[in-house]
Amino acid sequence: MRGGDGEGRYLLTRPDRLKDHQREHIEAARAACHEMTALAELIHNFAVLLDPTDGNAALLSTWITSARAEDLPHLHAFTRELARDRAAVDAALTLPHHNGGTEVVNNKTKLMSSSRGHRSPRPSQNRT
């Protein structure tokens, strides 16, 4: 199998959204070498963590240990970056977050303000 046929993109696609030929590409790549098998498994396991849940911090520790055990230098670099700000990573993977309600209020406020001809002061304007 030639490299660059989209396996990387396919690995990053949700499995339920893959077409049969894309799934076949992934399986062929996984069968070709241990590193590709390990990478595919690690990507899949990390993707599961992107749905914030209480137990994800512990699962991330397990994932990092698994990633560091493989001969995948780019993932080693990624795990080092995760460790640099682990508290923020844990919060992102465990806490429910969205700002949808806040954005609706902000947009309504901006719309009402602009319809009345009000403008926000520019940072360079003197606010005395």
Side-chain angles (χ1 to χ4, degrees):
M1 172 163 51
R2 292 187 346 248
D5 285 340
E7 292 86 6
R9 184 177 64 243
Y10 299 159
L11 286 172
L12 297 173
T13 301
R14 290 177 55 149
D16 59 330
R17 294 187 178 165
L18 289 170
K19 296 179 176 148
D20 287 338
H21 76 277
Q22 294 169 326
R23 201 170 286 105
E24 290 169 7
H25 268 273
I26 290 173
E27 290 309 314
R30 288 178 75 160
C33 70
H34 169 76
E35 288 84 3
M36 187 59 96
T37 301
L39 180 63
E41 200 61 34
L42 286 163
I43 289 172
H44 172 75
N45 292 340
F46 188 81
V48 170
L49 298 174
L50 297 178
D51 183 19
T53 306
D54 284 340
N56 280 354
L59 292 174
L60 178 62
S61 294
T62 302
W63 185 89
I64 288 172
T65 300
S66 297
R68 289 179 176 167
E70 296 296 338
D71 185 20
L72 299 167
H74 289 86
L75 276 185
H76 295 180
F78 181 63
T79 62
R80 285 190 299 274
E81 292 301 317
L82 291 174
R84 262 191 349 163
D85 198 0
R86 183 62 192 263
V89 174
D90 286 348
L93 297 178
T94 59
L95 301 174
H97 59 280
H98 63 81
N99 64 354
T102 304
E103 287 300 314
V104 169
V105 171
N106 286 344
N107 289 335
K108 284 182 181 179
T109 303
K110 289 176 187 176
L111 180 63
M112 289 181 350
S113 183
S114 67
S115 69
R116 293 186 195 142
H118 294 115
R119 297 174 70 168
S120 299
R122 292 191 177 109
S124 60
Q125 290 178 334
N126 192 356
R127 296 183 185 184
T128 55

